[in-house]
Amino acid sequence: MSDLRTIKITVLRYRPEEEDEPTEQTYEVEFRDDWVVLDALNHIKDHIDGTLSFRWSCRMGVCGSCGMMVNGEPKLTCAAMLRDYYPNEMHVEPLVNFPIVRDLVTDMTDFMDKLKAVKPWIIREEEKPVSEGEYLQTPDQLKDYKQFSQCINCMLCYAACPVYGLEHDFVGPAAIALGHRYNLDSRDEGNQQRQHVIASKEGIWECTYVGECSVVCPKHVDPAEAIQQTKVATTTNRLKSLVMPWGNKK
Amino acid sequence: MMLDSETTKTYTRPISKAWWLRDRGHFNRRYFMFLLRELTSVFVALYVVIFTYEIFLLTKGPDAHAAFQESLRSGPFIVFFVIALLFALYHSWTWLGLTTKMQAAGRGLVKIGTKTLPPIFIALGSYGAWIVATCVIAYLFLTL
Amino acid sequence: MNYKEHKSEPFWWGMFSQGGVIAALLIPIHIFLCGLAVPLGLIDPELLSYERITALLQNPLVKLYLCVLLIFPLYHAAHRIRFTLAEIGLHSLAKVLPVLCYGGALAGTAVVLYILWVLL
Ligand code: SF4
Ligand code: FES
């Protein structure tokens, strides 16, 4: 059992009914060696200041709801150890690039809309009846998209993306990666239904490969790579259809 | 939580104009390196313009050509070319790095049968191509 | 949001990538040879003499090579400059920048072709 240490945590607060702009509030938290940032926030809420609002659920890096800016970087607060920041002071803010609803809680409506737009589910030209069984897939075919299917919708990648920060119409890393995930799925036939979203002006062409989305992604989804692969594929298909207009598009 | 953004009062923090230097008091080295990476293209373009001008001068006769070659020996030009070379090398490094990563991740791009080529070979491939191209150009320039 | 597949971006992006490859593979050695090695006297200045270069330019393969070397990187740079300017503060000009940047690259292409195949 290790000793308790005290760390200073400055939290960005926003109480819309009282103030028009966020303010900062500093708390001193005694923490144990195995505490994560989320533990400190829960400690504050339970013992110091019950008015602090933030989201969390699983406490194990699965639900994707505890993302915040920790010292300027988007992090899952349930996976960021306090001891890695000690003895420096810490700054905890809500994810940037999203509107703040209250304290550390942001409005994710924009992301949800974009997610829906890329139709992240298996699309068949014709559904086969349930009685004919499931759509089969080999382990090799699974490998093609597995990495892109690991997304937990935590939106850290959107907070990391300056392109999204500047242009909120940008479909963005996770949504494109998830569309790509279904495009790569051997059971899916919905490529054409996603292309007008993914290959739109607001889609892949907005991306300049800053690459920060892939750095901050806690699940190693590598959305930047998904976008890059889609750019290459779209460009080659376009070239093919110019050279051979009669060739049937996939 | 989904909100009705019309009726809920929210606060959106603007992104700093100099986000690649500092945003909300924090410096992110990767943003800065990204900007340097994009900046390499300016030096590439400047070099291309200078080179085109050099070729253009050939149409103005030997004296014009010789005079410009002489001015290339001046300090400012040398400094510029040193900087341009460093940026050009940084472009090669980052560009080939991304190509390598892309091919390693791309499905079916580098597959022999069902086996995927280990990334190290792909890296050898793209950086190797750089070495080969550089040597060939140097050789042709010196011997043609 | 009403999304529409964009028809011309793949073309510009394709040119950008081609230019990126060419710039990555060929530009450093050119800068080193013509911009540093000869002016600094590391190698024989005669390598860039008027007689030698004009003789080399008689060869259509050399001309073709120079076309590739000088044209594609223009599109590479145009593309990056277009986006970078928007990213460092000119976001309000996002509609004009492509016209200016790709327009510049197109003009550059015409100049290079004119010099290499008409003037020379
Ligand atoms: S891609 Fe990664 S960072 Fe982005 S939402 Fe999914 S899990 Fe989070
Ligand atoms: S609380 Fe679920 S991911 Fe952190």
Side-chain angles (χ1 to χ4, degrees), chain A residues 174-231:
Chain A
I176 296 180
L178 276 163
H180 189 56
R181 171 245 175 279
Y182 285 93
N183 283 341
L184 292 178
D185 193 317
S186 59
R187 299 163 297 179
D188 181 85
E189 293 167 343
N191 215 309
Q192 283 308 311
Q193 293 187 45
R194 299 188 188 97
Q195 189 68 1
H196 70 284
V197 181
I198 291 182
S200 64
K201 175 90 193 53
E202 299 79 13
I204 50 177
W205 305 119
E206 200 72 62
C207 166
T208 48
Y209 213 134
V210 179
E212 190 71 1
C213 52
S214 298
V215 175
V216 303
C217 174
K219 294 291 162 184
H220 309 290
V221 169
D222 202 347
E225 191 57 44
I227 296 178
Q228 194 68 359
Q229 287 179 14
T230 314
K231 281 183 181 174

Coordinates of all heavy atoms in Angstrom, one line a residue, chain A residues 174-231:
Chain A
A174 N -13.4 9.4 -36.8 CA -14.1 8.1 -36.4 C -15.2 7.7 -37.4 O -15.3 6.5 -37.7 CB -14.6 8.2 -35.0
A175 N -16.0 8.7 -37.8 CA -17.1 8.4 -38.7 C -16.6 7.8 -40.0 O -17.1 6.8 -40.5 CB -18.0 9.6 -38.9
I176 N -15.5 8.4 -40.5 CA -15.0 7.9 -41.8 C -14.4 6.5 -41.6 O -14.6 5.6 -42.4 CB -14.0 8.8 -42.4 CG1 -14.7 10.2 -42.8 CG2 -13.3 8.2 -43.6 CD1 -13.7 11.2 -43.3
A177 N -13.7 6.3 -40.5 CA -13.1 5.0 -40.2 C -14.2 3.9 -40.1 O -14.0 2.8 -40.5 CB -12.2 5.1 -38.9
L178 N -15.3 4.3 -39.5 CA -16.4 3.3 -39.3 C -17.0 3.0 -40.6 O -17.4 1.8 -40.9 CB -17.4 3.8 -38.2 CG -16.9 3.4 -36.8 CD1 -17.6 4.2 -35.8 CD2 -17.0 1.9 -36.6
G179 N -17.2 4.0 -41.4 CA -17.7 3.7 -42.8 C -16.8 2.8 -43.5 O -17.2 1.8 -44.2
H180 N -15.5 3.1 -43.4 CA -14.5 2.3 -44.1 C -14.5 0.9 -43.6 O -14.4 -0.1 -44.3 CB -13.1 2.9 -43.8 CG -12.0 2.4 -44.5 ND1 -11.9 2.3 -45.9 CD2 -10.8 1.8 -44.1 CE1 -10.8 1.8 -46.3 NE2 -10.1 1.5 -45.2
R181 N -14.7 0.7 -42.3 CA -14.8 -0.6 -41.7 C -15.9 -1.5 -42.4 O -15.7 -2.6 -42.6 CB -15.1 -0.5 -40.2 CG -15.4 -1.8 -39.4 CD -16.8 -1.8 -38.9 NE -17.2 -3.0 -38.3 CZ -17.6 -4.1 -39.0 NH1 -17.6 -4.1 -40.4 NH2 -17.9 -5.2 -38.4
Y182 N -17.0 -0.9 -42.6 CA -18.1 -1.6 -43.3 C -17.8 -1.8 -44.8 O -18.1 -2.8 -45.4 CB -19.5 -1.0 -43.0 CG -19.9 -1.3 -41.6 CD1 -19.6 -0.5 -40.6 CD2 -20.5 -2.6 -41.3 CE1 -20.0 -0.8 -39.3 CE2 -20.8 -2.9 -40.0 CZ -20.5 -2.0 -39.0 OH -20.8 -2.3 -37.7
N183 N -17.1 -0.8 -45.4 CA -16.8 -1.0 -46.8 C -15.8 -2.2 -47.0 O -15.8 -2.8 -48.0 CB -16.1 0.3 -47.3 CG -17.2 1.4 -47.6 OD1 -18.3 1.1 -47.7 ND2 -16.7 2.6 -47.7
L184 N -15.0 -2.4 -46.0 CA -14.0 -3.5 -46.1 C -14.5 -4.8 -45.7 O -13.9 -5.8 -45.9 CB -12.8 -3.1 -45.2 CG -11.9 -2.0 -45.5 CD1 -10.8 -1.8 -44.5 CD2 -11.3 -2.1 -46.9
D185 N -15.8 -4.8 -45.1 CA -16.3 -6.1 -44.7 C -16.9 -6.9 -45.8 O -17.7 -6.4 -46.6 CB -17.5 -5.7 -43.7 CG -17.9 -6.9 -42.9 OD1 -18.1 -8.0 -43.5 OD2 -18.1 -6.8 -41.7
S186 N -16.4 -8.1 -45.9 CA -16.8 -9.0 -47.1 C -18.3 -9.2 -47.2 O -18.8 -9.5 -48.2 CB -16.0 -10.3 -47.0 OG -16.4 -11.0 -45.8
R187 N -19.0 -9.1 -46.0 CA -20.4 -9.3 -46.0 C -21.2 -8.1 -46.5 O -22.4 -8.2 -46.7 CB -20.9 -9.7 -44.6 CG -20.2 -10.9 -44.1 CD -20.4 -11.0 -42.6 NE -19.7 -9.9 -41.9 CZ -19.7 -9.8 -40.6 NH1 -20.4 -10.6 -39.8 NH2 -19.1 -8.7 -40.0
D188 N -20.5 -7.0 -46.6 CA -21.3 -5.7 -46.9 C -21.3 -5.4 -48.4 O -20.4 -5.7 -49.1 CB -20.6 -4.6 -46.1 CG -21.2 -3.2 -46.3 OD1 -22.2 -3.0 -45.6 OD2 -20.8 -2.5 -47.2
E189 N -22.4 -4.8 -48.8 CA -22.5 -4.4 -50.2 C -23.0 -2.9 -50.3 O -23.5 -2.5 -51.3 CB -23.6 -5.3 -50.9 CG -23.1 -6.7 -51.0 CD -24.2 -7.7 -51.4 OE1 -25.4 -7.3 -51.3 OE2 -23.9 -8.8 -51.9
G190 N -22.7 -2.1 -49.2 CA -23.2 -0.8 -49.2 C -22.2 0.3 -49.6 O -22.5 1.5 -49.4
N191 N -21.1 -0.1 -50.2 CA -20.1 0.9 -50.6 C -20.7 2.1 -51.3 O -20.4 3.3 -50.9 CB -19.1 0.2 -51.6 CG -17.7 0.7 -51.4 OD1 -17.5 1.9 -51.4 ND2 -16.8 -0.2 -51.2
Q192 N -21.5 1.9 -52.3 CA -22.1 3.0 -53.0 C -23.0 3.9 -52.2 O -23.0 5.1 -52.4 CB -23.0 2.4 -54.2 CG -22.1 1.9 -55.3 CD -21.1 2.9 -55.9 OE1 -21.4 4.1 -56.1 NE2 -19.9 2.5 -56.0
Q193 N -23.6 3.3 -51.2 CA -24.5 4.2 -50.3 C -23.7 5.0 -49.4 O -24.2 6.0 -48.8 CB -25.4 3.3 -49.5 CG -26.4 2.6 -50.4 CD -27.5 1.9 -49.6 OE1 -28.0 2.4 -48.6 NE2 -27.8 0.6 -50.0
R194 N -22.4 4.7 -49.2 CA -21.6 5.5 -48.2 C -20.7 6.5 -49.0 O -20.3 7.5 -48.4 CB -20.7 4.6 -47.4 CG -21.5 3.7 -46.5 CD -20.6 2.9 -45.6 NE -21.4 1.9 -44.9 CZ -21.4 0.6 -45.3 NH1 -20.6 0.2 -46.3 NH2 -22.2 -0.3 -44.7
Q195 N -20.4 6.2 -50.2 CA -19.4 6.9 -51.0 C -19.7 8.4 -51.1 O -18.8 9.2 -50.9 CB -19.2 6.3 -52.4 CG -18.1 6.9 -53.2 CD -16.7 6.5 -52.6 OE1 -16.6 5.8 -51.6 NE2 -15.6 7.0 -53.2
H196 N -21.0 8.8 -51.3 CA -21.3 10.2 -51.4 C -21.1 11.0 -50.1 O -20.9 12.2 -50.2 CB -22.7 10.4 -52.0 CG -23.8 10.1 -50.9 ND1 -24.1 8.8 -50.6 CD2 -24.5 10.9 -50.2 CE1 -25.0 8.8 -49.7 NE2 -25.3 10.0 -49.4
V197 N -21.1 10.3 -49.0 CA -20.8 11.0 -47.7 C -19.2 11.0 -47.5 O -18.6 12.0 -47.3 CB -21.4 10.2 -46.5 CG1 -21.1 11.0 -45.3 CG2 -22.9 10.2 -46.8
I198 N -18.7 9.8 -47.7 CA -17.2 9.6 -47.3 C -16.4 10.4 -48.3 O -15.4 11.1 -48.0 CB -16.9 8.1 -47.3 CG1 -17.5 7.5 -46.1 CG2 -15.4 7.9 -47.3 CD1 -17.2 6.0 -45.9
A199 N -16.7 10.3 -49.6 CA -15.9 11.0 -50.6 C -16.5 12.4 -51.0 O -16.2 12.9 -52.1 CB -15.8 10.1 -51.9
S200 N -17.2 13.0 -50.1 CA -17.7 14.3 -50.3 C -16.6 15.3 -50.0 O -15.6 15.0 -49.5 CB -18.9 14.6 -49.5 OG -18.5 14.6 -48.1
K201 N -16.9 16.6 -50.3 CA -16.0 17.7 -50.0 C -15.8 17.6 -48.5 O -14.6 17.9 -48.0 CB -16.7 19.0 -50.4 CG -16.0 20.2 -50.0 CD -15.1 20.7 -51.1 CE -14.1 21.8 -50.7 NZ -13.4 21.4 -49.4
E202 N -16.8 17.4 -47.7 CA -16.7 17.4 -46.2 C -16.1 16.1 -45.7 O -15.9 16.0 -44.5 CB -18.1 17.6 -45.6 CG -18.8 18.9 -45.9 CD -19.4 18.9 -47.3 OE1 -19.6 17.8 -47.9 OE2 -19.8 20.0 -47.8
G203 N -16.0 15.1 -46.6 CA -15.4 13.8 -46.2 C -13.9 13.8 -46.3 O -13.2 14.7 -45.8
I204 N -13.4 12.7 -46.9 CA -12.0 12.5 -46.9 C -11.2 13.7 -47.5 O -10.1 13.9 -47.0 CB -11.6 11.3 -47.7 CG1 -12.3 11.3 -49.1 CG2 -12.0 10.0 -47.0 CD1 -11.9 10.1 -50.0
W205 N -11.8 14.5 -48.4 CA -10.9 15.5 -49.0 C -10.6 16.7 -48.1 O -9.8 17.5 -48.5 CB -11.6 16.0 -50.3 CG -11.9 14.8 -51.2 CD1 -13.1 14.4 -51.7 CD2 -11.0 13.9 -51.8 NE1 -13.0 13.3 -52.4 CE2 -11.7 13.0 -52.5 CE3 -9.6 13.7 -51.7 CZ2 -11.1 11.9 -53.2 CZ3 -9.0 12.7 -52.4 CH2 -9.7 11.8 -53.1
E206 N -11.3 16.8 -47.0 CA -11.0 17.8 -46.1 C -9.7 17.5 -45.3 O -9.1 18.4 -44.7 CB -12.2 18.0 -45.1 CG -12.4 19.3 -44.4 CD -12.8 20.4 -45.3 OE1 -13.9 20.4 -45.9 OE2 -12.0 21.4 -45.4
C207 N -9.4 16.2 -45.2 CA -8.3 15.8 -44.3 C -7.0 16.1 -44.9 O -6.7 15.9 -46.1 CB -8.4 14.3 -44.1 SG -7.0 13.5 -43.4
T208 N -6.0 16.6 -44.1 CA -4.7 16.9 -44.5 C -3.7 16.0 -43.8 O -2.5 16.3 -43.8 CB -4.3 18.4 -44.3 OG1 -4.6 18.7 -43.0 CG2 -5.0 19.3 -45.3
Y209 N -4.1 14.9 -43.3 CA -3.2 14.0 -42.6 C -2.3 14.6 -41.6 O -1.1 14.5 -41.6 CB -2.3 13.2 -43.7 CG -2.0 11.8 -43.2 CD1 -2.1 10.7 -44.1 CD2 -1.6 11.5 -41.9 CE1 -1.9 9.4 -43.7 CE2 -1.4 10.2 -41.5 CZ -1.5 9.2 -42.4 OH -1.2 7.9 -42.0
V210 N -3.0 15.3 -40.7 CA -2.2 15.8 -39.5 C -1.8 14.6 -38.7 O -0.7 14.6 -38.1 CB -3.1 16.7 -38.6 CG1 -2.4 17.2 -37.4 CG2 -3.6 17.9 -39.5
G211 N -2.7 13.6 -38.7 CA -2.3 12.3 -38.1 C -2.5 12.2 -36.6 O -2.3 11.2 -36.0
E212 N -3.0 13.3 -35.9 CA -3.1 13.3 -34.5 C -4.2 12.4 -34.0 O -4.2 11.9 -32.9 CB -3.3 14.8 -34.0 CG -3.2 15.0 -32.5 CD -1.8 14.8 -31.9 OE1 -0.9 14.6 -32.7 OE2 -1.7 14.9 -30.7
C213 N -5.3 12.2 -34.9 CA -6.4 11.3 -34.5 C -5.8 10.0 -34.2 O -6.2 9.3 -33.2 CB -7.4 11.2 -35.6 SG -6.7 10.8 -37.2
S214 N -4.9 9.5 -35.0 CA -4.4 8.1 -34.8 C -3.5 8.1 -33.6 O -3.4 7.0 -32.9 CB -3.6 7.7 -36.0 OG -4.5 7.6 -37.1
V215 N -2.8 9.2 -33.2 CA -1.9 9.2 -32.1 C -2.8 9.1 -30.8 O -2.4 8.4 -29.9 CB -1.1 10.5 -32.0 CG1 -0.3 10.6 -30.8 CG2 -0.2 10.6 -33.3
V216 N -3.9 9.8 -30.7 CA -4.6 9.9 -29.5 C -5.6 8.7 -29.3 O -6.1 8.5 -28.2 CB -5.4 11.2 -29.3 CG1 -4.5 12.4 -29.4 CG2 -6.5 11.3 -30.3
C217 N -5.9 8.0 -30.4 CA -7.0 6.9 -30.3 C -6.6 5.9 -29.3 O -5.5 5.2 -29.5 CB -7.2 6.3 -31.7 SG -8.3 4.9 -31.6
P218 N -7.4 5.6 -28.3 CA -7.0 4.7 -27.3 C -7.2 3.2 -27.8 O -6.7 2.3 -27.1 CB -8.0 4.9 -26.2 CG -9.2 5.5 -26.8 CD -8.7 6.3 -28.0
K219 N -7.8 3.0 -28.9 CA -8.1 1.7 -29.4 C -7.2 1.3 -30.7 O -7.5 0.3 -31.3 CB -9.6 1.5 -29.7 CG -10.4 1.6 -28.5 CD -10.2 0.4 -27.6 CE -10.7 0.6 -26.2 NZ -10.4 -0.5 -25.3
H220 N -6.3 2.2 -31.0 CA -5.4 2.0 -32.2 C -6.2 1.7 -33.5 O -5.9 0.9 -34.3 CB -4.4 0.8 -31.9 CG -3.7 1.0 -30.7 ND1 -2.7 2.0 -30.5 CD2 -3.8 0.3 -29.5 CE1 -2.3 1.9 -29.2 NE2 -2.9 0.9 -28.6
V221 N -7.3 2.5 -33.6 CA -8.1 2.3 -34.8 C -7.4 2.9 -36.0 O -7.5 2.4 -37.1 CB -9.5 3.1 -34.6 CG1 -10.2 3.2 -35.9 CG2 -10.3 2.4 -33.5
D222 N -6.6 3.9 -35.8 CA -5.8 4.6 -36.9 C -6.8 5.1 -38.0 O -6.7 4.8 -39.2 CB -4.8 3.6 -37.6 CG -3.7 4.4 -38.3 OD1 -3.8 5.6 -38.5 OD2 -2.7 3.7 -38.6
P223 N -7.6 6.1 -37.6 CA -8.5 6.7 -38.6 C -7.8 7.4 -39.7 O -8.3 7.4 -40.8 CB -9.3 7.7 -37.7 CG -9.0 7.5 -36.3 CD -7.8 6.7 -36.2
A224 N -6.7 8.0 -39.4 CA -5.9 8.7 -40.5 C -5.6 7.7 -41.6 O -5.7 8.0 -42.8 CB -4.6 9.3 -40.0
E225 N -5.3 6.5 -41.3 CA -5.0 5.5 -42.3 C -6.2 5.1 -43.1 O -6.2 4.9 -44.3 CB -4.4 4.2 -41.6 CG -3.8 3.2 -42.5 CD -2.7 3.8 -43.4 OE1 -1.9 4.5 -42.8 OE2 -2.7 3.5 -44.6
A226 N -7.4 5.0 -42.4 CA -8.6 4.7 -43.0 C -8.9 5.8 -44.1 O -9.3 5.5 -45.2 CB -9.8 4.6 -42.0
I227 N -8.7 7.0 -43.7 CA -8.9 8.1 -44.7 C -8.0 8.0 -45.8 O -8.4 8.2 -47.0 CB -8.8 9.5 -43.9 CG1 -9.9 9.6 -42.9 CG2 -8.9 10.6 -44.9 CD1 -9.9 10.9 -42.1
Q228 N -6.7 7.8 -45.5 CA -5.7 7.7 -46.6 C -6.0 6.5 -47.6 O -6.0 6.7 -48.8 CB -4.3 7.4 -45.9 CG -3.2 7.6 -46.8 CD -3.0 9.1 -47.2 OE1 -3.8 10.0 -46.8 NE2 -2.0 9.3 -48.1
Q229 N -6.4 5.4 -47.0 CA -6.7 4.3 -47.9 C -7.9 4.6 -48.8 O -8.0 4.3 -50.0 CB -7.1 3.0 -47.0 CG -5.9 2.4 -46.4 CD -6.3 1.2 -45.6 OE1 -7.4 0.6 -45.6 NE2 -5.3 0.7 -44.7
T230 N -8.9 5.3 -48.2 CA -10.1 5.7 -49.0 C -9.7 6.7 -50.1 O -10.3 6.6 -51.2 CB -11.2 6.3 -48.1 OG1 -11.3 5.4 -46.9 CG2 -12.5 6.3 -48.8
K231 N -8.8 7.6 -49.8 CA -8.4 8.6 -50.8 C -7.8 7.8 -52.0 O -8.1 8.1 -53.1 CB -7.4 9.6 -50.2 CG -8.0 10.7 -49.4 CD -6.9 11.6 -48.9 CE -7.4 12.7 -48.1 NZ -6.3 13.5 -47.5

